[in-house]
Amino acid sequence: MKSILLPKPTRFRGLSLYEALQRRKTVRYYEDKDISLQTLSNLLWAAFGVNREIGPFGDPGRTAASASNSQEIDIYVLLRGGSYLYDSQQSLLNQVASGDNRRIALGPRQGSNGAEAAVRLIYVANIARFSTAGYQEPGLYDHETQKAYFYVDTGLIAQNVYLFAASQGLAAWFHNCNKEEAMKLLRLSPTQLPLFGQTVGYEMPQESDTR
């Protein structure tokens, strides 16, 4: 399996937070057009990258919060040439499968919308990480509370992706994923739960679009 060393995230220019919030929307139709590795690196950093070496409880801090800084959400990145696990500390994509598997990031009943988008993400909760969180509060071991935590934490990451996309002239779509196929493709363990997918790329111009 091959890895992709991403360029270090850079200070990127774009719309203001107000403008990005104004333009945040869900887009389901995409151009067959890749994004650069630098843009991909910046996207993943904005999603859930390391933004400070020392965060809560002495562990690195991330761009999205997590329960007791457990950082239980992993981001799998599905590209045209393969599927990868994002290593935020090394700015690295570690390959877990070859070939174009972007369709797996969409739910089995959602058709083929966005099939040509540059990037598809799958968010996976690793509940084993709750046991190593910096602050061991009781909710980390309660099944229903765990679900609330990893659903909220995924939503925080997904919103970061939406805002980054809006600020950089990209489109995004948060959606279900094919959980059964994702388990096989990504070689997940029983403590790893595929939750949702998110598509990112360039919006396909509509016939009425005069831009």
Side-chain angles (χ1 to χ4, degrees):
M1 294 293 183
K2 298 180 180 178
S3 297
I4 298 176
L5 181 62
L6 295 168
K8 292 294 183 182
T10 59
R11 185 182 179 90
F12 45 84
R13 296 180 179 273
L15 302 181
S16 69
L17 176 59
Y18 174 81
E19 291 169 320
L21 285 166
Q22 264 200 329
R23 296 193 182 190
R24 192 224 65 83
K25 64 178 181 178
T26 288
V27 172
R28 292 176 172 82
Y29 299 96
Y30 292 80
E31 288 190 275
D32 184 2
K33 180 180 178 182
D34 291 332
I35 62 175
S36 70
L37 274 184
Q38 185 65 68
T39 300
L40 178 60
S41 178
N42 291 347
L43 163 68
L44 294 170
W45 177 84
F48 200 34
V50 174
N51 64 358
R52 56 207 188 280
E53 291 302 318
I54 300 178
F57 316 112
D59 293 323
R62 308 287 281 272
T63 57
S66 60
S68 294
N69 200 29
S70 56
Q71 303 181 15
E72 82 282 9
I73 305 301
D74 284 322
I75 302 178
Y76 287 82
V77 183
L78 278 56
L79 305 174
R80 190 186 307 275
S83 302
Y84 304 84
L85 173 61
Y86 173 52
D87 181 336
S88 61
Q89 297 201 45
Q90 301 298 320
S91 197
L92 191 69
L93 293 179
N94 292 308
Q95 190 175 37
V96 296
S98 59
D100 187 350
N101 297 291
R102 287 175 290 177
R103 63 181 180 81
I104 303 300
L106 199 64
R109 298 183 180 180
Q110 290 178 294
S112 59
N113 288 356
E116 302 302 325
V119 182
R120 275 189 156 154
L121 309 175
I122 294 180
Y123 299 120
V124 174
N126 188 341
I127 59 175
R129 297 225 183 99
F130 287 132
S131 64
T132 59
Y135 174 60
Q136 288 294 297
E137 54 97 356
L140 295 175
Y141 296 90
D142 176 76
H143 181 65
E144 289 303 313
T145 305
Q146 285 179 344
K147 287 200 298 185
Y149 285 162
F150 60 64
Y151 283 138
V152 168
D153 294 346
T154 302
L156 295 172
I157 295 170
Q159 182 69 337
N160 281 357
V161 171
Y162 265 121
L163 293 178
F164 175 85
S167 76
Q168 300 298 304
L170 296 170
W173 173 23
F174 184 66
H175 45 72
N176 200 358
C177 67
N178 191 321
K179 296 176 176 57
E180 183 177 344
E181 290 200 45
M183 286 289 296
K184 297 175 184 177
L185 173 73
L186 306 177
R187 304 176 186 180
L188 302 180
S189 72
T191 65
Q192 294 176 283
L193 308 176
L195 303 175
F196 299 100
Q198 193 162 19
T199 298
V200 182
Y202 291 97
E203 181 177 4
M204 181 180 291
Q206 303 301 304
E207 291 184 4
S208 59
D209 193 342
T210 57
R211 288 176 297 176

